[in-house]
Amino acid sequence: MNVTEFLETHFRHFNARELRDAARSYGEFVNQGGKMMVTLAGAMSTGELGLSLAEMIRQDKVHAITCTAANLEEDLFNLVAHDEYQTIQDWRALSVDDEVRLRDAGFNRVTDTCIPETVMRHLEHRLTKLWVQQAASDETWMPAEFMFALLDDPTFAEHFQVPRENSWVAAAKDAGIPIYTPGIEDSTLGNIYAARVHDGTVPNHTAFATGTEQMGRLIKWYEATSTDAPIGMFQIGGGIAGDFPICVVPLLKQDLEKDVRLWGYFCQISDAVTSYGGYSGAVPNEKITWYKLDPESPKFMIQSDASICAPLVFAHVLGW
């Protein structure tokens, strides 16, 4: 069996059935002309989701991305420093002293994966020149545009330690699809940017498009795209990566009083439980009251580990 056949044969009930049905519906949605926004929270790039997500982009199954800044930067971290990462097999058994030793050796741990600080300084060195340039201009750049500039630099490509096709950021660049990155300050490079402004290396905070400016660009994309096709959302995790883009529809309908399509498909993979006031674990139907989801739109909630489930869904959509 390939992966798709395995899911169709064995994923029949509970979260397994929800995953299979979500994947089926995703495939039907895009194959019938729908467009899909994929959102990335957590540390999916460090989990190397690019191995499947990049192919989804290349196969025209993803048409926009909203991600945390950590996912944006960590995709390129992995691209140029993959072989220098350290994997911890028994990470649950680490003591405080073990953590101190990792820290002092220059590693930053994400569950079982330790990212070397050297790669952060590598990108800082290259990006600081771009930050200074953009901060002195009248034009702001989207966070992803800085990464695109790095990918265009042949001296950067000399450092690739995995194939370029493993990078979902590179795939998005090649396909010309937009990447929205709200909350850039909540990331390693966002922190470094603030530090360089603070010490005077970068003259001001205007190099990056602000969150509201990015929302303005999302408004234009959603209006233009939804004129000809319904748009769905495949949400990995919760938080700002999901809440930022889904809010564009109530903004258009209620704040701009425009007649636009609601989101035409919704699926979220999350291990968050439904709780009072929590967003990440909120059931999809709650979004109906906010003018985010059409009552008739397919809705799925896969309550499981996204590092396991997202590649399976993508494999099904791709027919792997």
Side-chain angles (χ1 to χ4, degrees):
M1 292 183 184
N2 63 21
V3 176
T4 300
E5 291 167 340
F6 183 86
L7 297 182
E8 289 292 338
T9 301
H10 296 286
F11 280 39
R12 297 182 176 221
H13 301 282
F14 319 133
N15 262 314
R17 181 202 53 78
E18 189 83 352
L19 185 154
R20 183 203 62 191
D21 289 354
R24 283 179 180 172
S25 183
Y26 186 136
E28 292 168 359
F29 185 80
V30 295
N31 290 338
Q32 293 169 7
K35 305 300 182 182
M36 191 66 74
M37 163 76 76
V38 170
T39 76
L40 303 175
M44 300 310 298
S45 291
T46 293
E48 298 188 72
L49 187 65
L51 289 165
S52 55
L53 178 57
E55 188 62 20
M56 287 282 285
I57 295 169
R58 285 190 288 268
Q59 294 297 325
D60 196 33
K61 308 299 185 184
V62 176
H63 307 92
I65 300 276
T66 300
C67 66
T68 59
N71 273 298
L72 182 69
E73 67 189 12
E74 288 172 16
D75 182 78
L76 267 67
F77 290 170
N78 178 71
L79 186 61
V80 297
H82 176 273
D83 297 344
E84 297 151 40
Y85 280 44
Q86 186 175 137
T87 300
I88 307 295
Q89 300 293 338
D90 58 345
W91 57 270
R92 290 182 178 85
L94 290 176
S95 67
V96 170
D97 288 341
D98 292 329
E99 304 280 17
V100 170
R101 278 191 288 273
L102 285 169
R103 181 199 66 188
D104 292 348
F107 286 99
N108 296 263
R109 185 170 71 83
V110 182
T111 312
D112 67 345
T113 306
C114 298
I115 305 172
E117 187 176 339
T118 51
V119 70
M120 302 169 189
R121 299 306 165 189
H122 178 183
L123 265 67
E124 175 190 3
H125 174 72
R126 293 176 178 274
L127 287 169
T128 299
K129 300 171 186 176
L130 297 172
W131 293 339
V132 171
Q133 172 187 312
Q134 286 309 120
S137 76
D138 295 328
E139 179 188 7
T140 59
W141 273 11
M142 296 284 278
E145 290 181 278
F146 289 96
M147 301 307 177
F148 294 167
L150 293 185
L151 290 168
D152 282 335
D153 183 348
T155 68
F156 188 64
E158 293 171 1
H159 295 272
F160 289 178
Q161 295 184 2
V162 293
R164 186 181 183 276
E165 54 263 31
N166 291 4
S167 165
W168 69 262
V169 175
K173 176 183 182 298
D174 296 344
I177 69 170
I179 300 175
Y180 304 95
T181 314
I184 183 68
E185 61 275 10
D186 183 21
S187 67
T188 297
L189 293 176
N191 291 168
I192 292 172
Y193 178 83
R196 296 292 77 83
V197 174
H198 185 77
D199 68 16
T201 302
V202 179
N204 55 55
H205 292 282
T206 63
F208 288 103
T210 65
T212 52
E213 184 178 348
Q214 291 190 57
M215 180 60 81
R217 298 189 191 196
L218 177 56
I219 290 169
K220 293 177 181 178
W221 178 84
Y222 193 95
E223 272 198 291
T225 305
S226 65
T227 298
D228 300 318
I231 304 176
M233 176 178 287
F234 187 81
Q235 180 177 339
I236 299 175
I240 194 172
D243 205 26
F244 175 86
I246 205 169
C247 286
V248 71
V249 174
L251 184 162
L252 282 161
K253 289 192 70 69
Q254 296 178 289
D255 302 325
L256 291 174
E257 299 182 345
K258 294 191 174 186
D259 184 19
V260 297
R261 301 175 193 252
L262 302 184
W263 293 94
Y265 166 98
F266 180 81
C267 176
Q268 181 180 7
I269 305 174
S270 175
D271 60 2
V273 297
T274 302
S275 62
Y276 300 104
Y279 173 72
S280 296
V283 297
N285 278 356
E286 184 176 304
K287 295 169 175 47
I288 294 172
T289 67
W290 292 88
Y291 283 96
K292 294 174 180 175
L293 290 184
D294 192 303
E296 287 75 41
S297 297
K299 306 172 192 66
F300 305 94
M301 186 73 170
I302 305 169
Q303 298 210 264
S304 188
D305 182 338
S307 68
I308 298 170
C309 294
L312 292 175
V313 171
F314 294 163
H316 190 290
V317 174
L318 293 167
W320 285 356

